Amino acid sequence: MTRIDSTSSEPVERISVRPVFHLSRLIWAIIVVFLVAAVIESLLTNPNYGWGVVATYLFHPQIVRGVCFTLILTVVAMLVGIVLAVTMAVMRQSANPILRGVAWFYIWFFRGTPIYTQLLFWGLVPTLYQTLTVGIPFGPTFAEWSTKEVFSPFLAAILGLGLNEGAYLAEIVRSGLNSVNKGQSEAATALGMTRGTIMWRIIIPQAMRVIIPPTGNEAISMLKTTSLVLAVPYTLELTYAAQTIGNRTFQPVPMLITAALWYLAITSVLMIGQGYIERYFGRGFDTSTTKKTRNRADLSEDATTKFLDVTP
């Protein structure tokens, strides 16, 4: 039996590898560089953008206050939406047909109507109902309040944004719950766990890996959707503050740029936070191409260092 050693000292001719030249890539690179240079030149040389005005009002107290209220609206509306989404997604999974029907109607209605229309409706609630009462239908009334005193524009904005967001997030949560292997719940049932314990301790933690990315996108979208709360009307958010200053100073474009810069800054922070959360819930599910390539390279290297037994 002859043993051939792959580590033989015989000279091995090296293969010279040359990268393939792609003319189309070079052409597209030149086009992109040309377009970017044209845009930069336009931004720097056009005085109508008013970069000096942007720098002056970027941290104006009215703008900063608008940023704060925009963040408050975003956070509170997302919390309302998440609570409603989880509730409705669990109801869609329920064996009770009444609960499934209620969840289906909620999702159907709030996904089927525009957010601007919903905000207009919530803003008109004090017009539709002058008083809010607590009592028995067609019976006696126990308490009564003035709608204008209780139903503030801030509350109307939160309800409009939160209820609409909950309908979209409910489908995201439902898809995440369905992504978990049914064997997980079956095994937990065999161990004697209740349905609620299985949902909160087994299913939802594993579904978060699927739920987090689209939920992060919805949070970023919610940040920009707050600009529509003027329909309520709620006049303390960022876009309205920028428009107010722009109308007063006759500089609408620089003020819109100021608002856009703030939105871009907040969105960037949210994207970074989303990345950290995704990595946290994605532990143990590393399927990156780099890792696969590295593992294949290691296997190939191990195979080439072994001895081959050849029968004479």
Side-chain angles (χ1 to χ4, degrees):
M1 181 177 298
T2 304
R3 175 168 292 178
I4 302 176
D5 190 350
S6 61
T7 60
S8 175
S9 60
E10 296 181 1
V12 178
E13 182 181 357
R14 293 184 177 276
I15 301 175
S16 178
V17 180
R18 296 181 180 179
V20 179
F21 177 74
H22 298 276
L23 179 61
S24 61
R25 296 181 182 179
L26 178 61
I27 294 174
W28 278 110
I30 295 173
I31 293 174
V32 170
V33 170
F34 177 80
L35 293 176
V36 170
V39 171
I40 293 176
E41 180 188 9
S42 174
L43 292 174
L44 296 178
T45 59
N46 191 338
N48 295 323
Y49 285 108
W51 294 108
V53 179
V54 172
T56 301
Y57 285 95
L58 188 61
F59 295 99
H60 189 273
Q62 190 172 350
I63 295 295
V64 174
R65 184 181 64 175
V67 172
C68 293
F69 279 103
T70 297
L71 291 174
I72 292 173
L73 282 173
T74 302
V75 173
V76 177
M78 283 301 298
L79 291 177
V80 173
I82 290 172
V83 172
L84 288 172
V86 174
T87 303
M88 295 301 156
V90 173
M91 289 172 63
R92 287 289 298 270
Q93 304 285 335
S94 174
N96 190 330
I98 297 177
L99 295 180
R100 291 201 309 269
V102 171
W104 179 88
F105 178 82
Y106 166 80
I107 295 172
W108 167 78
F109 180 82
F110 285 98
R111 289 178 66 194
T113 53
I115 177 62
Y116 191 76
T117 303
Q118 296 175 29
L119 289 171
L120 284 173
F121 173 81
W122 290 112
L124 293 173
V125 166
T127 304
L128 295 172
Y129 302 97
Q130 285 73 32
T131 58
L132 296 176
T133 59
V134 176
I136 299 175
F138 305 102
T141 299
F142 303 134
E144 183 175 328
W145 301 275
S146 173
T147 305
K148 292 183 178 180
E149 296 177 358
V150 177
F151 206 81
S152 63
F154 177 78
L155 179 59
I158 292 298
L159 286 176
L161 295 174
L163 289 172
N164 181 266
E165 187 62 35
Y168 287 94
L169 285 178
E171 290 300 285
I172 294 174
V173 174
R174 185 174 67 88
S175 64
L177 297 179
N178 291 335
S179 68
V180 180
N181 194 316
K182 293 183 178 180
Q184 299 284 325
S185 58
E186 293 173 356
T189 302
L191 294 175
M193 292 186 179
T194 62
R195 184 178 179 85
T197 303
I198 295 173
M199 180 62 67
W200 294 107
R201 298 293 299 275
I202 305 297
I203 304 300
I204 290 181
Q206 297 185 68
M208 292 298 290
R209 182 176 60 91
V210 178
I211 295 173
I212 288 297
T215 301
N217 292 336
E218 288 295 319
I220 294 173
S221 177
M222 173 63 70
L223 174 70
K224 295 172 288 186
T225 305
T226 55
S227 61
L228 299 177
V229 297
L230 181 61
V232 171
Y234 185 76
T235 58
L236 296 177
E237 57 86 32
L238 176 58
T239 300
Y240 183 82
Q243 289 179 344
T244 301
I245 298 177
N247 294 334
R248 186 174 67 245
T249 60
F250 301 102
Q251 297 284 348
V253 174
M255 297 315 303
L256 290 177
I257 294 175
T258 301
L261 291 176
W262 274 108
Y263 281 119
L264 287 173
I266 299 172
T267 300
S268 301
V269 174
L270 292 177
M271 292 176 64
I272 295 173
Q274 177 185 347
Y276 280 109
I277 297 174
E278 287 182 17
R279 285 193 291 272
Y280 175 80
F281 285 101
R283 294 173 301 176
F285 295 93
D286 186 8
T287 57
S288 61
T289 305
T290 304
K291 183 177 180 180
K292 290 181 179 179
T293 305
R294 184 169 60 252
N295 291 340
R296 291 171 183 171
D298 293 342
L299 292 175
S300 177
E301 183 179 357
D302 293 341
T304 56
T305 56
K306 293 181 179 179
F307 293 102
L308 300 178
D309 293 336
V310 179
T311 306

